[in-house]
Amino acid sequence: MSDTTPKAPAQTPPKRLFIKTYGCQMNVYDSERMADVLRPLGYGVTDAPEDADLVVLNTCHIREKASEKVYSELGRIKEMREARTEAGGGRMGVVVAGCVAQAEGEEIMRRAPVVDLVVGPQAYHKLPELIARTARALGERLAADFAPEDKFDALTQARQADGVTAFLTVQEGCDKFCTFCVVPYTRGGEYSRPPADILAEARQLTDQGVREITLLGQNVNAYAGQGGLASLIRALAAIDGLARIRYTTSHPRDMDEALIAAHAEVPELMPYLHLPVQSGSDRILRAMNRQHTAETYLKLIDRVRAARPDLALSGDFIVGFPGETDQDFEATLDLIGTVNHAAAFSFKYSRRPGTPASAMAGQVDEAVKDERLQRLQALISQQQLAFNASQVGRTLPVLFERPGRHAGQILGRSPYLQAVHVDGPQSLIGKIAPVRITASAMNSITGDLAPEAVGAPA
Ligand code: 5AD
Ligand code: SF4
């Protein structure tokens, strides 16, 4: 599993939701749906607006003077909010939903500054996302139990390297709000560390013998330091002794031209990319709020491969997302067939409290998920096996990390992140040496030190 494995959201105290419904039966139904999508976020319904942490006015346009009624209600809410703040209570969030919101969104925000958020009937499934974004914009943290800045400060103080390879966190949090994922709620918004701090930490690591650094972030390619991730990689590549750079995990939306060019131009950047696509069905990708299609993903892969033809691709897949049909699943298998992976992680969809997908209709049967996962993993295994086998006969530069399990054996990694077993001297640990690959298996490849390696390792 990659280290972005979602964690359960931190325990948060229950919050109170008051919904006032105007108008038709449709609105009554919509109010229930809003309560449903907010329940996993910790909101329980209350009928006392003055106690509420979140007030939603679900409005209706049918009656005359409908919007006037809403404005006068907003006046009362403003007083309640002020009284609550004076009494030392928490902040009261105010949302206007429904048809009036749809018709006069901007007007409402202008006339009633008490309103935090206006949301039309088409966007209720996005309420958790919108509320999280609003809270963040107001400087509030939702469920995260740490301030990333403080954590990073502590991290930068002194970093003890442990071996030849190291992870270096450059970015945390996520603004993407995939509907299955808790990260945007638990980890908060995207935050990038300043390049100078990262470079200083990288130098500390290389001074202690680290030769390979993997840049980490939930959305590492959304790195927002000057010049983006590509610039950071180029600056790191200039550090003496740092031979290899990797990064994970990336989002297809943030793969920019500069980063693609870095794959072509920076020899220290390894030809391995973990770029999760999650599904090959556009219908499911839309329900996941991924904001890319199968086609745009495939085009992107073509571009990265044009820059670096030997790129090894890895990804994440979810099977059994709510509403996934056999046909949707087949589209995922098709996409995997087209991409041809060197490795991949795959998961059965699991409901995460606080996420919109957990409240979606069409939850898929466990047995169906099992069956799909097995089929998908069989396909990935085939591809991984074939990828490993395709290296046999090639000579690859291997960075040796540690002694192997057997006497006289050392273990390293190929540029494609494959584990490589070789018989050789421990003096090669921390060095890169050419290895002629002679055999392959599912999880590793084996080879002989090329003659020149034994004499003068890099
Ligand atoms: N169910 C199953 N898999 C999930 N992932 C994230 N959330 C869920 C979930 N609710 C997977 C995604 C992501 C990886 C780190 O974990 O594939 O890319
Ligand atoms: Fe979760 Fe999607 Fe953000 Fe990845 S991009 S951390 S899956 S919300």
Side-chain angles (χ1 to χ4, degrees):
M1 296 252 298
S2 78
D3 84 305
T4 45
T5 306
K7 313 267 188 319
Q11 280 297 315
T12 42
K15 288 169 275 189
R16 280 154 302 200
L17 168 69
F18 173 79
I19 306 186
K20 180 165 175 135
T21 309
Y22 300 80
C24 64
Q25 201 51 39
M26 190 63 208
N27 263 16
V28 174
Y29 172 78
D30 281 348
S31 291
E32 281 166 14
R33 274 178 52 218
M34 284 191 261
D36 285 344
V37 297
L38 290 171
R39 192 167 301 117
L41 218 63
Y43 286 98
V45 173
T46 173
D47 48 18
E50 59 278 9
D51 293 337
D53 300 289
L54 183 65
V55 172
V56 176
L57 301 186
N58 189 8
T59 61
C60 172
H61 228 173
I62 289 179
R63 300 264 174 79
E64 234 182 317
K65 299 209 180 102
S67 42
E68 287 317 312
K69 271 194 203 151
V70 173
Y71 287 117
S72 63
E73 184 67 26
L74 286 170
R76 277 194 292 278
I77 288 168
K78 180 165 175 275
E79 281 165 23
M80 275 182 227
R81 168 141 110 186
E82 284 163 1
R84 187 176 147 118
T85 309
E86 262 167 41
R91 191 175 180 284
M92 178 189 279
V94 181
V95 176
V96 178
C99 305
V100 175
Q102 182 81 359
E104 334 183 350
E106 277 174 27
E107 170 83 8
I108 295 172
M109 295 298 274
R110 203 175 49 75
R111 265 184 69 181
V114 69
V115 175
D116 294 311
L117 185 67
V118 175
V119 50
Q122 303 314 321
Y124 293 154
H125 61 288
K126 286 208 161 187
L127 255 187
E129 167 177 351
L130 294 169
I131 285 171
R133 283 188 193 278
T134 307
R136 279 189 208 160
L138 293 164
E140 292 169 15
R141 313 209 107 248
L142 269 183
D145 50 5
F146 61 86
E149 296 81 356
D150 298 349
K151 191 181 132 186
F152 285 131
D153 283 350
L155 272 178
T156 323
Q157 308 262 303
R159 182 76 199 271
Q160 279 298 309
D162 177 24
V164 176
T165 62
F167 290 111
L168 204 174
T169 303
V170 304
Q171 180 276 339
E172 279 232 7
C174 181
D175 285 337
K176 303 293 186 298
F177 290 92
C178 300
T179 53
F180 52 80
C181 184
V182 293
V183 168
Y185 307 102
T186 57
R187 294 290 178 105
E190 285 171 6
Y191 169 81
S192 297
R193 293 177 70 192
D197 291 3
I198 297 166
L199 290 168
E201 193 174 328
R203 278 189 212 100
Q204 265 180 28
L205 290 167
T206 48
D207 285 350
Q208 297 173 75
V210 167
R211 305 292 315 275
E212 172 178 308
I213 288 181
T214 300
L215 305 175
L216 281 185
Q218 255 100 31
N219 261 282
V220 73
N221 60 343
Y223 178 72
Q226 177 106 67
L229 189 63
S231 291
L232 182 66
I233 288 170
R234 286 178 192 269
L236 287 162
I239 295 179
D240 258 1
L242 184 58
R244 293 182 163 190
I245 301 167
R246 305 178 187 276
Y247 61 93
T248 197
T249 290
S250 295
H251 193 292
R253 278 166 59 197
D254 295 317
M255 240 13 245
D256 62 13
E257 285 308 325
L259 187 53
I260 295 175
H263 274 282
E265 294 161 10
V266 181
E268 290 82 1
L269 182 58
M270 290 294 102
Y272 177 95
L273 178 60
H274 181 71
L275 194 64
V277 61
Q278 315 292 357
S279 167
S281 154
D282 288 345
R283 214 176 57 83
I284 296 298
L285 288 170
R286 210 173 311 117
M288 287 176 162
N289 191 29
R290 289 289 294 178
Q291 311 205 24
H292 60 74
T293 62
E295 193 193 337
T296 54
Y297 179 82
L298 291 173
K299 287 216 168 111
L300 174 60
I301 297 296
D302 285 345
R303 278 160 50 216
V304 195
R305 277 187 167 148
R308 183 74 206 224
D310 64 335
L311 189 86
L313 265 165
S314 154
D316 292 341
F317 294 92
I318 295 178
V319 300
F321 185 83
E324 186 186 70
T325 62
D326 285 341
Q327 213 181 347
D328 294 318
F329 176 63
E330 294 298 333
T332 302
L333 295 182
D334 284 351
L335 178 135
I336 295 172
T338 308
V339 170
N340 203 3
H341 291 77
F345 303 97
S346 45
F347 311 91
K348 285 189 285 181
Y349 170 72
S350 81
R351 291 169 103 147
R352 309 281 187 197
T355 61
S358 69
M360 281 183 192
Q363 299 287 328
V364 175
D365 220 55
E366 213 45 38
V368 175
K369 286 186 203 167
D370 279 328
E371 200 249 342
R372 288 181 186 166
L373 188 68
Q374 273 182 27
R375 283 183 61 199
L376 188 146
Q377 288 185 338
L379 179 58
I380 295 286
S381 296
Q382 246 176 30
Q383 296 188 340
Q384 186 170 328
L385 208 53
F387 179 75
N388 289 348
S390 72
Q391 307 300 325
V392 174
R394 289 187 71 193
T395 297
L396 300 178
V398 173
L399 171 59
F400 288 100
E401 294 178 8
R402 56 191 154 94
R405 224 176 292 151
H406 308 295
Q409 198 185 48
I410 46 177
L411 180 72
R413 296 257 172 204
S414 77
Y416 314 109
L417 206 60
Q418 295 153 297
V420 188
H421 299 281
V422 171
D423 281 335
Q426 303 223 353
S427 58
L428 280 180
I429 290 170
K431 311 243 162 55
I432 295 174
V435 172
R436 191 173 158 76
I437 306 304
T438 54
S440 69
M442 177 67 88
N443 292 313
S444 66
I445 54 181
T446 316
D448 299 324
L449 285 173
E452 66 266 31
V454 187

